[in-house]
Amino acid sequence: MFALIAAVLFLLALVFDIAGVALGGVVTVGTLTTAGLLCVALHLMGLGASWSPLKR
């Protein structure tokens, strides 16, 4: 799930960068990229995984 969120954030950052758009002083290309990297890190940690191994 976090990987999908990261992909959407990176897509928004790319579109905003190409179009030269910034939504105020808070949401910029840098903040979207940082949020995307955070989601990738959480995904690599194993959070948000839709499966779990069988415990015996």
Side-chain angles (χ1 to χ4, degrees):
M1 187 66 183
F2 283 113
L4 179 64
I5 295 170
V8 170
L9 288 172
F10 287 138
L11 176 68
L12 284 174
L14 177 66
V15 169
F16 284 1
D17 190 31
I18 291 172
V21 176
L23 300 175
V26 178
V27 180
T28 62
V29 173
T31 56
L32 289 174
T33 303
T34 303
L37 289 173
L38 174 65
C39 289
V40 168
L42 291 174
H43 173 74
L44 291 175
M45 278 180 31
L47 296 177
S50 61
W51 64 276
S52 62
L54 295 174
K55 296 180 181 178
R56 295 180 187 210

